[in-house]
Amino acid sequence: MSLSAIKNKSFIYLFSKVFAATINLFSIYLFTRLFKPNVYGDYLLFSSYVIFICSIVFWWHRLSVFRYYHKYKKNYNTYIKTSYLSFYGLSILLLFLFIIFIIFLSFYQSSFIEKKYYFLVIIIASIFRSNFDLNQNLLNINKDDYFYGTNVIIRPLLFFGICLSIHFFHSENNYVLIIGFIVSFFISSIYPNYYLQRNIKGGVFDRNIYKKFILYGLPLTGLFVFDYILAFSDRLLIGYFFGSEMVGVYGANYDLVKQIVLFLMIIQGLIIYPEINKLFEDGRLDEVNKLMSINLNLFISLFLPLAIFIAMFSDFISSVFIGERFTQSSGLLIPLLSIVFFILGIKIYHFDYIFHLKEKTKISMKILLIGSLINIFLNLLLVPNYKLIGAVLSTMIAYIFCLFLSIIFGKKYMLIKLDYNVFFRTIIFLFFSISICFLFSYFNIQIIFQIIVYILTYSFLTFYYNFDTIKWFLNRFN
């Protein structure tokens, strides 16, 4: 891949993700002002249930399709046909099991039957979202960059537009966000389904490929379930103890930090990991090690200052993006969440990827099992007493344990080297940036000037003294 190609690819991903993140941030800004915390909380609980179904039924399949694309690319039509027919089979199986479950429980749990339509909607939403995710994975690995980027933009635009339209005509409808969620994923999947499957008549369903999916991916189900517990048990327990209103408050702050931090991490991963996959399949392991190491160093120099920036200016950020009814705990929640997402980024986008490449996903599952048990225990201990702060502290401690274990076990299979010169320069640059901001704060200089000075100071020092890291990253594709 040439330097011009990687720059073009980077621009597409950067533009689409920044645009989508901007829409999502504006959605948080508007929806936390239009809707009450309990309505927003009900939507977050619904989406949590959807993700739970996706994590059990579909994620292992999607990751397997992504993992083996280059291995079977020469039989493209057969591979795509196998991928989609197996997805449709999982969808039909899920609906069949739901019907059986309803029939069985109708004899014992009448209260569950009253909610059967709610659970059916959750399952349908899970299928639509998983279909969208599968399409995006294939577009990404197949390097259909413009199509991928267009979809990244269209989906949140549809969600935003549908929700606003329904609210305009039916302002008392409490299911606006849920309807927007379902319909936006459905519409966003229509054309990509046709585009990716238009030539599958020339292929056949290959049982050997599907067996490969199962052998690699099915053990990931446990991994995804434990990962789900780490990511979502906090809001489920908040909902159980304090109701959907508190879930709405917690979720608004959580989603805000997630949109600011994770979208850049995702861009970095989307640009580099398809290339790492290809190098690994080609047996060029030394290049994989180098690329993984430089990726970590770049991550530290970009996302550590971003996490500190969010923590320092949390009150300003929450006042701009979140409605007043949702900011009661933002001063503590947002700084802690910025640390959580920084730790999560190091774990997921660097050390966990070693286990996926080496097909050692059982190790990841065991690590997440330990982390999820720690998280559940701490949530049960802290949430009833410390509410939202207890939830985020529980998640942070659990992720720290998981990251430590991932580093220890990951070193046995691939050595990702941290460049200590880059790391310590980053710390020094941050010290100077923070010191200047505190000095400005002492003299009561407006916060907007503090923000500008922080960004300019760190950016100048990084580009002047740490540019070799970025330059090496780009030159890798010459």
Side-chain angles (χ1 to χ4, degrees), residues 284-478:
R284 296 152 68 181
L285 300 183
D286 288 341
E287 293 183 60
V288 171
N289 287 341
K290 288 180 182 178
L291 206 53
M292 292 284 282
S293 296
I294 198 66
N295 203 32
L296 175 62
N297 294 320
L298 188 65
F299 181 92
I300 296 294
S301 62
L302 290 177
F303 292 105
L304 180 58
L306 179 59
I308 292 174
F309 171 84
I310 293 170
M312 284 181 60
F313 302 109
S314 58
D315 288 335
F316 176 79
I317 292 170
S318 64
S319 67
V320 170
F321 289 105
I322 304 178
E324 188 176 348
R325 291 173 293 185
F326 294 79
T327 59
Q328 58 194 43
S329 302
S330 295
L332 281 175
L333 271 180
I334 290 180
L336 292 173
L337 285 168
S338 69
I339 298 170
V340 167
F341 281 111
F342 177 72
I343 296 168
L344 176 63
I346 297 177
K347 175 186 174 296
I348 290 179
Y349 294 108
H350 298 88
F351 294 98
D352 278 6
Y353 204 73
I354 296 173
F355 303 126
H356 291 297
L357 283 175
K358 296 289 186 177
E359 299 183 4
K360 301 292 181 181
T361 50
K362 289 184 179 179
I363 296 175
S364 288
M365 185 172 66
K366 291 176 182 177
I367 291 171
L368 285 174
L369 170 60
I370 295 170
S372 61
L373 291 174
I374 292 171
N375 196 27
I376 291 173
F377 172 76
L378 291 176
N379 271 318
L380 290 172
L381 184 67
L382 298 178
V383 169
N385 297 312
Y386 300 101
K387 298 182 180 179
L388 307 186
I389 304 303
V392 73
L393 284 174
S394 302
T395 303
M396 182 192 300
I397 294 168
Y399 275 132
I400 290 172
F401 271 95
C402 288
L403 175 60
F404 176 76
L405 293 174
S406 294
I407 294 172
I408 295 299
F409 288 103
K411 288 169 64 176
K412 296 179 181 179
Y413 301 100
M414 185 182 296
L415 187 60
I416 302 179
K417 296 180 180 179
L418 175 64
D419 188 328
Y420 288 102
N421 289 326
V422 172
F423 176 73
F424 286 119
R425 281 200 293 263
T426 299
I427 297 299
I428 293 169
F429 301 160
L430 283 171
F431 174 78
F432 277 110
S433 304
I434 293 168
S435 298
I436 294 172
C437 287
F438 276 126
L439 186 63
F440 275 41
S441 178
Y442 179 79
F443 288 105
N444 294 319
I445 295 175
Q446 290 185 355
I447 193 168
I448 191 67
F449 292 109
Q450 297 176 39
I451 291 173
I452 293 171
V453 166
Y454 178 93
I455 294 172
L456 291 179
T457 303
Y458 182 81
S459 299
F460 171 78
L461 291 172
T462 298
F463 275 93
Y464 192 81
Y465 293 102
N466 262 354
F467 186 70
D468 286 345
T469 302
I470 303 171
K471 185 178 179 181
W472 193 98
F473 181 77
L474 294 175
N475 287 343
R476 167 64 185 76
F477 297 92
N478 273 327

Side-chain angles (χ1 to χ4, degrees), residues 53-72:
I53 299 296
C54 292
S55 68
I56 293 177
V57 181
F58 296 108
W59 282 0
W60 67 269
H61 173 266
R62 174 170 56 86
L63 194 60
S64 297
V65 171
F66 186 86
R67 172 67 179 79
Y68 291 109
Y69 178 85
H70 287 296
K71 189 178 184 69
Y72 296 102

